[in-house]
Amino acid sequence: MRIIRLIIKATPICIIALILVKLIIINEFADIGEKVKSLDARLSRVQEENEILTQRYASASSLLTIAIKAEEASYHAPAKDQYLSLPIDQFPVAVAALK
Amino acid sequence: MWRLWLVFIFLCSIFFVISIRLFYWQVITGNTLKTQAANQYAITRSLPAIRGQILDSDREAIVLSQPAFLVFGEPQDIQDPRHVSRKLAEILSLDESEILRMLSDTKRMWIPIARKVEGKTYEDIRALKLKGIGFEKESKRYYPESSMAAHLLGFVGSDENGNDKGYFGIEGYYDRELRGKDGIVQSEKDVKGAPIIIGETKRINAEKGRSLTLWLDRAVQKIIENRLKDGIETYGAKEGTVVVMDPKTGGIVGMASYPTYDPTAYTTFDKSLYKNPAIADNFEPGSTFKVFVMASGIQEKLITPTTVIDEKGPVQVNEYTIRTWNNEYHGSISMTDVLRFSSNVGMVYIANTLGKDTLLQYIRNFGFGDITGVDLEEEQSSKLRSDRDWSDIDLATASFGQGIAVTPLQMVRAVGALANDGWLMEPHVVKEMIDSKGKRIDIKPKRIRQVVNAGTAKIITEMMVTAVDKGEAQWAKPKGYRVAGKTGTAQIPVAGHYDEKKTIASFVGFAPADNPRFVMLVTLREPTSSPWGSETAAPLFLNISRDLFQYYGIPAE
């Protein structure tokens, strides 16, 4: 009987305590939405940057780019006939050795 | 008493009016009001799925998605539509009056202005901070290798609802796998529009589309595209196609056709260029078809490479006279020479020896008359006539590749069977799929049937090697390599008869003959420098082979 009475007496206190806890929690979470929104925006931005970087990587490693860079660096497909030009006063090593 | 009745009727009327009003709010306009209320306290945002990448055999991306935006206007929030229209028209290169007309329509809540806006254009518009102009994320396809393999890859356009949809090639065939699943976020919002975390929230994340790894080798693709373009210019051809396949797996290593189109600007090209000629165009194969008839005769043990026939002159089939291509006759020649000289007379002999039923069965077994099952959207195939419709002359002309229509891919696959111990493979473009979690799903090579046995395949290979070594294109052959091949020249049927001047020159073969690394077909439509395959398609084939030997590091013997 005493226990029941104790519970009845404690109930309003518990309810008030729980209301207070709820208020505190709601207060704490009230501005979290703003943070979530900003995190979502950051996530979206990072994904976008990731896509752009992937695109740049693919572009830089494409055969199209490599072929242009190779051309700029003077790499050409070997011609069928190749000639070696020497200045007039120089001779190939084998000929120079005979002289 | 009447007063009581008056009050009763008055109350009933009010009750009736209230009921009607409630019916109007809850039933007739219920959904609209519900949506309006939800808009006040809830946010619903779509999370668009990123379309999967297409990778080459080295897993380097050849098609991927880049961020792009839909630019939209909210006319009710725009204070000076004229100014906004002018600014947008300048950046987007659109008609100013058209934008103004859209933005001045204040009855509309939301109007799309431009789609797939990316990079600097997007940044420029965003920097203006125009009130009433917003952006919605979407994605756009990006091609690091530009228009490489356009016919094979296809392109991404829009469906009737404006959503992305793949058309033609890989994009069309694997659209469902590539597109992924859009996600959605629904949550309650506060007065500032930020989500309320302790409110009702529902979030379904977007699922990225599957990425596809192809058998395609971009180096091989670049080689064949460059060589084909040069070949078309050199030989003055109208069109051309090159298909390279791995005979052991059926994997398509390269597939090029010219003229082609740019998938990023597909709307500016003629629609007839969208379909892939390698799988959708039928042509008469001409003499390249002889290898299958020859292989059938050997498999049936009716002939051997040394079987001799008397090629003394034209052969008569009913009222028709069949001649050799150059009207020259060599007397007694072996079957190897029949292939080397590309003798129509010799082929008619084999067809007659085989008989109608056996020959037709072999033609079907080599995969002609039916689609190959390649994983590309627009594959088509001519049907073979029913058996009873084949007359003697039809059988005779089919033996040297006329009166029968095939696609380039059917030819490559059938020759691939000769390079693969007689096993016909199902050609495939995609090697594996990679899902959003990184799990790889292999697509295993698929054997269809063994058309001829390994011994026959070996014999016909030797005959094809001789045809190249001693044939008319022997001057172009890379020294020290054994290439098995056969030239073909077919006239083009125009309005019920063959055009004397228009031909399709082709060369089909594989190399190295003893352990084939690739099987390849080259076709040139209406070459003007020479109508013959031996003077156009054959040198082009052998030039590409030379590059492929170098690329694969295959040494000369």
Side-chain angles (χ1 to χ4, degrees), chain A residues 4-7 9-10 14 17 19 22 27 29 33 38 42 48-49 52 55 59 63 72 85-86 89 91 95:
Chain A
I4 293 167
R5 249 183 244 146
L6 201 67
I7 290 169
K9 277 181 188 171
C14 285
I19 289 170
K22 192 184 175 187
N27 190 45
F29 278 103
S38 99
R42 263 183 69 188
E48 206 176 292
E49 280 167 15
I52 292 168
Q55 181 198 343
S59 176
L63 286 182
E72 284 169 3
S85 301
L86 289 172
D89 57 338
F91 295 94
V95 179

Side-chain angles (χ1 to χ4, degrees), chain B residues 372-499:
Chain B
T372 63
V374 70
D375 43 350
L376 293 172
E377 196 180 55
E378 65 275 20
E379 187 182 22
Q380 286 175 6
S381 166
S382 282
K383 290 274 168 212
L384 290 178
R385 280 165 287 187
S386 65
D387 288 8
R388 65 172 181 277
D389 292 335
W390 285 81
S391 62
D392 290 345
I393 187 65
D394 293 331
L395 212 63
T397 56
S399 72
F400 48 89
Q402 292 208 336
I404 191 164
V406 303
T407 64
L409 187 61
Q410 282 176 335
M411 276 303 285
V412 171
R413 176 170 81 145
V415 174
L418 301 177
N420 187 34
D421 292 338
W423 281 98
L424 192 77
M425 304 299 292
E426 185 174 272
H428 257 278
V429 179
V430 174
K431 187 157 52 170
E432 66 172 10
M433 288 193 226
I434 306 165
D435 71 12
S436 55
K437 293 178 182 99
K439 191 182 163 196
R440 298 179 192 279
I441 306 151
D442 277 340
I443 298 173
K444 297 264 184 287
K446 190 175 166 189
R447 283 175 161 190
I448 304 292
R449 69 183 82 88
Q450 193 174 23
V451 190
V452 294
N453 62 33
T456 302
K458 214 174 172 63
I459 292 168
I460 195 77
T461 299
E462 285 308 316
M463 293 168 85
M464 289 168 75
V465 169
T466 309
V468 174
D469 286 345
K470 296 182 178 171
E472 296 196 25
Q474 55 179 286
W475 57 272
K477 205 199 88 164
K479 285 188 178 63
Y481 293 96
R482 274 165 50 82
V483 179
K486 181 76 191 80
T487 55
T489 308
Q491 288 162 317
I492 300 172
V494 179
H497 65 91
Y498 285 113
D499 189 312

Side-chain angles (χ1 to χ4, degrees), chain B residues 208-354:
Chain B
K208 194 186 164 194
R210 286 175 169 177
S211 292
L212 308 174
T213 308
L214 310 186
W215 286 96
L216 185 103
D217 185 322
R218 58 187 179 147
V220 173
Q221 185 68 22
K222 193 166 173 63
I223 289 169
I224 63 173
E225 285 190 5
N226 289 347
R227 285 284 186 189
L228 177 63
K229 205 174 163 199
D230 290 348
I232 283 177
E233 281 168 19
T234 308
Y235 305 117
K238 208 170 150 189
E239 295 165 15
T241 294
V242 177
V243 182
V244 183
M245 192 181 91
D246 176 355
K248 294 184 177 82
T249 60
I252 304 294
V253 185
M255 186 181 264
S257 290
Y258 195 84
T260 184
Y261 68 95
D262 183 354
T264 50
Y266 65 91
T267 50
T268 60
F269 289 82
D270 193 289
K271 285 188 174 66
S272 63
L273 290 174
Y274 296 166
K275 71 178 169 66
N276 185 351
I279 55 166
D281 276 0
N282 287 278
F283 71 107
E284 285 195 5
S287 298
T288 50
F289 201 76
K290 288 172 181 166
V291 293
F292 309 119
V293 181
M294 186 69 79
S296 310
I298 295 168
Q299 176 66 24
E300 289 295 309
K301 298 190 175 21
L302 297 171
I303 52 167
T304 67
T306 52
T307 303
V308 173
I309 61 147
D310 190 9
E311 192 197 54
K312 57 189 173 201
V315 65
Q316 199 72 26
V317 178
N318 300 334
E319 68 268 37
Y320 302 97
T321 306
I322 290 171
R323 296 182 168 83
T324 55
W325 63 278
N326 52 4
N327 214 14
E328 284 177 13
Y329 302 90
H330 303 86
S332 294
I333 54 169
S334 68
M335 284 298 147
T336 301
D337 287 338
V338 166
L339 212 58
R340 181 185 150 205
F341 296 131
S342 204
S343 167
N344 294 344
V345 173
M347 294 316 297
V348 173
Y349 167 81
I350 302 170
N352 288 336
T353 312
L354 276 166

Side-chain angles (χ1 to χ4, degrees), chain A residues 25-26 29-30 32-34 36-37 40 43-44 47-48 51-52 54-55 57-59 61-64 67 78, chain B residues 45 50 53 60-61 64-67 69 137 142 144-146 148 190 192-195 197-198 203 218-219 222:
Chain A
I25 290 170
I26 288 173
F29 278 103
I32 270 193
E34 203 59 51
V36 169
K37 195 179 168 186
D40 262 349
L43 180 70
S44 175
Q47 279 175 343
E48 206 176 292
E51 279 180 57
I52 292 168
T54 310
Q55 181 198 343
Y57 166 77
S59 176
S61 61
S62 73
L63 286 182
L64 204 68
Chain B
R45 199 158 48 93
I50 298 172
Q53 296 184 355
E60 289 288 342
L64 62 155
S65 292
Q66 61 177 333
F69 297 87
K137 200 181 169 199
Y142 175 69
E145 303 288 355
S146 190
M148 178 192 273
D190 64 15
K192 290 177 186 168
I197 299 305
I198 48 176
R203 186 183 183 106
R218 58 187 179 147
K222 193 166 173 63

